[in-house]
Structure formats: C-alpha cells, structure tokens
Amino acid sequence: MFTSLAEMDAFDDVVREILKAQQVKLNLTDDAVGKIAFGFMGGRRTKVQAIFVGQGADKYRKLQKLRLTDVMNLSEALGLSFPEVMRQAQKVLKDKMNFMQNNN
C-alpha cells in the first residue's frame, strides 16, 4: 500500500523505467511503439514521448500522468505482461525503499 503521493509518483517512475528499458532492448522508436500501442489515435509518437520524456520546454517539462490503460497498451506493445510489469515495479520500489531505510 502506498502511504504518500511521493511513493505513488515513484512507482509511476519505476513503471516508466521498466517500459523504456524494454523499448530500448527491442530497439523500437517512439513512432513504432506508438503505432503498436496507440494505433487508434492521432499523435501516437507524441503520446509515447509525453509518457516517457514529457512535454514543454526544459524547466517546464512535465511527464504525462500514467493511465492504467496506457500502461496496459504499452506493456503489450512491448511484449510484456501487464501483471508482470506491475509486480516488477512493486519489487523494484520496495527494494529501493528498503535500501533507503537501511542506509539512514
């Protein structure tokens, strides 16, 4: 269970890291991922970039909030199982939190 907005944001960041790592591993462009994950909508490449890189000028750059359905589509587009992405993100976040608690 998450106990703060910061933990929720950290979880979203870990999910992004997992999905982005898979995209890099598969050597897929944002355009290719967008066509697979969001083929039904316009601006597919921009959608992927908004999720992974954010939108706006440097100091105003803001990541798009992750929607459950976006993560589901991206997971499948990248050949990952949505439940496995969630389990992996949960494990990574717990490990990070335990590391931080043990080193304070």
Side-chain angles (χ1 to χ4, degrees), residues 1 89-99:
M1 176 188 264
Q90 185 179 26
K91 182 184 181 323
V92 168
L93 186 59
K94 279 185 179 182
D95 290 348
K96 283 183 180 182
M97 291 173 68
N98 287 336
F99 178 80

Side-chain angles (χ1 to χ4, degrees), residues 43-101:
R44 299 175 290 261
R45 179 181 53 83
T46 304
K47 171 85 169 166
V48 172
Q49 290 174 342
I51 290 170
F52 290 130
V53 181
Q55 293 177 307
D58 292 333
K59 72 178 190 175
Y60 301 106
R61 187 170 304 275
K62 188 169 180 148
L63 293 169
Q64 179 177 313
K65 287 285 185 188
L66 282 181
R67 291 176 20 164
L68 189 60
T69 52
D70 292 341
V71 176
M72 293 172 84
N73 281 13
L74 286 167
S75 297
E76 192 168 317
L78 295 168
L80 299 171
S81 135
F82 173 74
E84 183 54 34
V85 170
M86 295 295 102
R87 279 191 292 274
Q88 187 178 354
Q90 185 179 26
K91 182 184 181 323
V92 168
L93 186 59
K94 279 185 179 182
D95 290 348
K96 283 183 180 182
M97 291 173 68
N98 287 336
F99 178 80
M100 290 173 62
Q101 287 176 346

